Amino acid sequence: MSNDLTNCSVNGVSRRSFLRTLGAASAAAAALPATGAFAQQKANPAPSMGGRRGGFGSDMGEMRVLNPDTVIISSNENPLGPATSSLDALIKTASMGGRYHQEEAAKTTAVYNDLFGLKRGYTALGPGSGGLLDLALMSNLGPDKPLVYGDPSYEQGPRAADTMGAPKFPVKLTPTYAHDVKAMLAAHPSPGAYYIVNPNNPTGTMTPRADILWLLKNKPKGSVVIVDEAYFHFSNDESVLDQVAADQDIIVLRTFSKIYGMAGLRAGFAAGRPDLLRKFTTVAPPARSLASISITSAAAARAGMLDKDLIPTRKKINADNRAESLEFLTKKGYTIIPGSQANFFMVDVKRPGHEFQQAMLKENVAIGRTWSAMPTYVRVTVGTKEEMAKFQTAFVKCMDMPTSTTAELYIPEHHIPTELYRG
Ligand code: PLP
């Protein structure tokens, strides 16, 4: 994390939620595979992810042991894992791990700034974007500073509002599953923050850049627009990151967990005006030791950004596999949410989604969860071609099973997604 965040003070936030906020997983990010295992992993960039699931720390969250053959397409991870360019950088840097080498993070931030035309002081690098997202949300929310957000969307928004005792104003997505910025503006006269996820999780759909610019222009003074671009690299649209350089009231989040395949290595950025980033320190204690990124992850993230082929190659693989599965489902007559530009999509299973998820697990396919706004839809992450073939077979089999008529719809208000099991 940048030096802007080194002198933070705790403000009504429990130690537990603070640790969750900062992503305690960062400490484990430097784990180095043995040379033999590393060579094997490079030869097979889609390592089996079976046999594990749940939180990052042994005492955190639910641990579910899965059959090692399980196809895991539940948490929007990238089955390709880190690119060779990132792995090479990681292994080169690991031997330097005996020293702090804070310049590694600074070098990675400089590359990011360069890519997006950002000045020094406009970016914070952290172990994943989730902790930074919490800081962005929490530092702008409170009992008199509500959160306005899309429904359905990523639950980290309303969860941060709960932590801060902030009123919540969910706003239904438009018929094309974009954030309804006009309805968001009308939802409250003076919110602390508007949270926009683009592409949206779980629908994968886009909110046009013009709509976000309209909200920025028309929103009340004093509120901030937080745009979560965790999945943006998969999309064809234009980012709003330039609005950060233009000194607007905006914070944009990006992560290395998705297209870069570094979910477990933990790296992400928040970009915003220096005064907005400095506000993070009102909800977090001194951060350098707890929230700093390992030198291995910093180097891997930097190498990924400098790898010119990485994004176009992976974007195409994802788009091809997504299109193939969506075509399969549509041809079979199932109802999907159209327009996903992410590495996941939603499909209507015409029964409680949770029940269907369990049935799929029995077929060794772990799919994603449901959202209270659409409880019969499940979210499916795009895996490899082979994984999607297994998904399709299991999907048809489970859809042909009788629906349990007595099962209640599984509709928690916003239950904790697997990505958030960390604390
Ligand atoms: N934002 C969205 C919309 C997500 O779906 C996720 C994780 O899946 C995150 C943020 C946090 O990702 P990470 O902390 O791995 O960067």
Side-chain angles (χ1 to χ4, degrees):
M1 202 172 278
S2 84
N3 290 350
D4 296 330
L5 304 181
T6 49
N7 296 312
C8 314
S9 65
V10 184
N11 183 7
V13 180
S14 73
R15 183 172 177 275
R16 185 178 150 78
S17 70
F18 170 66
L19 285 176
R20 182 187 65 220
T21 296
L22 293 181
S26 62
L32 173 68
T35 315
F38 177 65
Q40 196 185 349
Q41 183 171 359
K42 280 180 75 172
N44 171 20
S48 159
M49 308 215 292
R52 70 94 173 100
R53 193 73 280 181
F56 282 72
S58 58
D59 61 341
M60 291 180 183
E62 168 192 304
M63 290 303 290
R64 227 185 315 152
V65 178
L66 299 178
N67 180 322
D69 299 333
T70 305
V71 169
I72 299 178
I73 45 173
S74 52
S75 293
N76 297 347
E77 295 151 333
N78 191 331
L80 301 176
T84 305
S85 48
S86 293
L87 285 173
D88 284 341
L90 183 145
I91 205 130
K92 266 193 206 133
T93 324
S95 61
M96 295 157 48
R99 298 198 186 274
Y100 290 112
H101 284 300
Q102 273 146 1
E103 72 278 7
E104 275 299 316
K107 280 190 321 199
T108 301
T109 303
V111 168
Y112 185 81
N113 287 349
D114 216 40
L115 270 180
F116 296 109
L118 294 164
K119 284 183 285 196
R120 212 178 132 90
Y122 279 67
T123 40
L125 169 63
S129 67
L132 295 166
L133 172 61
D134 263 339
L135 295 177
L137 289 159
M138 288 159 62
S139 60
N140 287 290
L141 298 176
D144 56 349
K145 289 195 269 177
L147 175 71
V148 177
Y149 58 103
D151 187 29
S153 192
Y154 193 50
E155 301 93 331
Q156 197 166 337
R159 195 167 101 151
D162 286 348
T163 305
M164 300 308 290
K168 295 176 287 189
F169 291 87
V171 175
K172 209 169 163 300
L173 301 179
T174 66
T176 54
Y177 302 95
H179 287 74
D180 188 338
V181 290
K182 296 220 161 113
M184 287 176 88
L185 187 73
H188 191 274
S190 56
Y194 300 90
Y195 178 45
I196 292 183
V197 183
N198 208 26
N200 187 42
N201 182 0
T203 52
T205 46
M206 301 303 299
T207 298
R209 171 182 152 91
D211 289 4
I212 302 176
L213 298 191
W214 181 89
L215 182 63
L216 266 176
K217 195 161 165 237
N218 291 286
K219 69 164 188 62
K221 208 166 171 285
S223 64
V224 64
V225 179
I226 298 172
V227 185
D228 186 340
E229 293 192 343
Y231 301 96
F232 206 84
H233 304 99
F234 293 108
S235 85
N236 299 321
D237 282 14
E238 213 188 323
S239 165
V240 289
L241 254 168
D242 63 323
Q243 297 302 300
V244 173
D247 284 328
Q248 295 295 310
D249 294 334
I250 188 170
I251 300 172
V252 180
L253 285 304
R254 287 273 180 114
T255 185
F256 290 84
S257 298
K258 308 302 176 183
I259 208 157
Y260 291 97
M262 288 179 40
L265 289 171
R266 313 300 300 135
F269 275 105
R273 262 193 344 252
D275 61 300
L276 294 175
L277 296 188
R278 266 195 305 273
K279 255 174 92 179
F280 289 10
T281 63
T282 60
V283 286
R288 182 178 281 173
S289 55
L290 276 167
S292 60
I293 172 172
S294 71
I295 59 167
T296 42
S297 293
R302 190 166 71 247
M305 286 189 283
L306 294 172
D307 180 345
K308 297 275 176 272
D309 295 334
L310 191 154
I311 291 177
T313 307
R314 291 175 166 219
K315 187 175 161 183
K316 178 166 184 343
I317 293 172
N318 175 69
D320 289 351
N321 292 347
R322 185 183 63 213
E324 200 275 327
S325 271
L326 289 178
E327 196 186 323
F328 171 86
L329 295 170
T330 310
K331 274 196 181 144
K332 288 264 175 209
Y334 303 120
T335 308
I336 52 130
I337 291 191
S340 171
Q341 287 199 33
N343 63 335
F344 52 87
F345 55 82
M346 293 198 98
V347 53
D348 188 358
V349 293
K350 312 264 187 222
R351 70 199 72 193
H354 186 59
E355 176 190 311
F356 190 80
Q357 207 183 14
Q358 298 307 313
M360 289 288 280
L361 208 47
K362 288 202 183 115
E363 300 302 316
N364 287 336
V365 180
I367 56 165
R369 62 188 185 278
T370 55
W371 265 251
S372 54
M374 27 179 65
T376 66
Y377 281 76
V378 290
R379 190 194 65 190
V380 178
T381 302
V382 177
T384 61
K385 218 168 166 354
E386 297 72 32
E387 286 173 334
M388 295 320 279
K390 286 185 187 165
F391 155 76
Q392 290 168 13
T393 307
F395 187 88
V396 172
K397 184 171 172 188
C398 290
M399 284 302 279
D400 287 345
M401 287 175 185
T403 316
S404 141
T405 46
T406 52
E408 301 252 321
L409 286 182
Y410 184 69
I411 45 171
E413 189 208 352
H414 57 83
H415 76 273
I416 300 176
T418 42
E419 297 93 306
L420 301 180
Y421 277 163
R422 272 172 255 154

